[in-house]
Amino acid sequence: MIKDAKRLTTAEEVFRKLKSDIITLRLAPGAKISEVEVAKACDVSRQPVREAFMRLGELNLLHIQPQKATRVRKISHQELRNTRFIRAAVEVEVVRHACQNATEQTLLPLRDNLMQQSIAARESDPIMLRELDYQFHNLICVAANRLPAFETIAENKTHTDRVCTLELADVSGMAEVLEGHTSIFDAITARDEDVAVKMTRHHLKHLDVTLANASQNYPDFFED
């Protein structure tokens, strides 16, 4: 039992590392990935790596074919459109509830998060800003008293985050993210549901511009 628990913990660690590498494009779309090489690099057996591969395959982040090389899935335009649609539908309702339910106690962490985002943008630190972006959307769910909704948001962010990695690669992209988050926070603080919804839609729609630019600049990253 103890050995199984340890193996599952190891599999989780490998899964998180590989997922992070895929989202941050350290493992580029279309790149080959080997169980043997990952196991050697992580200093683990192949079994936890195999389990991590299976989970990543279920998330459509790996393309696994028996007797063929496993590759990082390329980015699908159609999948991005679907995930953005679902995410927008959920987040719009979340910000509505945040306007109604947020308290000073739940707004304070959001304010602190934005201050840290400002520092990350000023220091051109995309890794820090990406993590703060994840936390920001989680904290809005907390403020809305709708934390379970973040599971859906996080699941659908997995695919858009690869494109967002390209956006956060330059200073102007980081400034856009910070501006969007600040506008949403200001609307929630003012209890203005209409503006909060408008700013949320605008913030998520900006992904369309990012996607168009990424498709033009990195065509090999996309599969359709």
Side-chain angles (χ1 to χ4, degrees), residues 19-223:
K19 182 181 178 184
S20 175
D21 286 348
I22 291 171
I23 289 174
T24 58
L25 303 180
R26 286 191 289 267
L27 283 172
K32 291 182 180 179
I33 181 169
S34 160
E35 283 186 11
V36 174
E37 292 176 1
V38 171
K40 183 177 180 180
C42 295
D43 193 25
V44 298
S45 68
R46 291 182 62 179
Q47 184 58 34
V49 176
R50 186 173 297 115
E51 292 176 14
F53 273 31
M54 289 177 62
R55 290 178 63 185
L56 291 165
E58 291 170 356
L59 290 175
N60 288 328
L61 292 176
L62 287 185
H63 185 54
I64 303 172
Q65 292 180 291
Q67 309 305 319
K68 293 185 179 180
T70 295
R71 293 182 180 272
V72 176
R73 276 281 305 273
K74 291 192 176 185
I75 302 169
S76 165
H77 287 88
Q78 184 59 50
E79 195 164 60
L80 282 178
R81 284 190 288 268
N82 291 339
T83 55
R84 191 173 74 79
F85 176 83
I86 295 170
R87 183 182 168 192
V90 174
E91 291 218 49
V92 161
E93 290 307 309
V94 167
V95 296
R96 286 189 192 277
H97 285 276
C99 289
Q100 299 166 12
N101 299 323
T103 64
E104 184 55 37
Q105 185 177 5
T106 55
L107 287 173
L108 183 59
L110 278 164
R111 188 177 290 111
D112 290 344
N113 178 279
L114 282 174
M115 291 177 62
Q116 294 178 61
Q117 286 188 48
S118 180
I119 294 172
R122 186 167 63 247
E123 296 181 352
S124 300
D125 188 339
I127 295 176
M128 179 180 177
L129 186 55
R130 187 181 304 108
E131 178 60 29
L132 290 167
D133 169 76
Y134 187 90
Q135 294 174 12
F136 179 79
H137 290 279
N138 179 273
L139 288 170
I140 291 179
C141 291
V142 173
N145 196 25
R146 294 293 184 272
L147 186 56
F150 188 68
E151 294 182 14
T152 300
I153 293 170
E155 180 181 341
N156 286 281
K157 270 175 65 63
T158 298
H159 296 280
T160 59
D161 279 351
R162 288 206 284 174
V163 176
C164 290
T165 292
L166 298 173
E167 177 183 32
L168 295 179
D170 62 78
V171 175
S172 62
M174 287 189 277
E176 286 272 4
V177 170
L178 177 59
E179 181 181 350
H181 288 166
T182 301
S183 297
I184 294 169
F185 173 76
D186 288 344
I188 292 173
T189 302
R191 312 288 180 180
D192 193 326
E193 291 184 34
D194 291 340
V195 173
V197 168
K198 180 180 178 181
M199 291 299 98
T200 298
R201 291 190 185 281
H202 177 76
H203 177 60
L204 295 178
K205 189 171 178 57
H206 181 68
L207 179 65
D208 294 342
V209 177
T210 303
L211 178 57
N213 292 336
S215 299
Q216 182 176 356
N217 296 328
Y218 304 91
D220 291 342
F221 282 6
F222 295 85
E223 65 180 17

Side-chain angles (χ1 to χ4, degrees), residues 2-19:
I2 294 176
K3 289 184 178 179
D4 287 343
K6 183 177 180 180
R7 181 172 57 80
L8 289 173
T9 300
T10 303
E12 179 67 23
E13 290 176 353
V14 174
F15 167 77
R16 292 185 180 185
K17 181 184 185 308
L18 292 177
K19 182 181 178 184

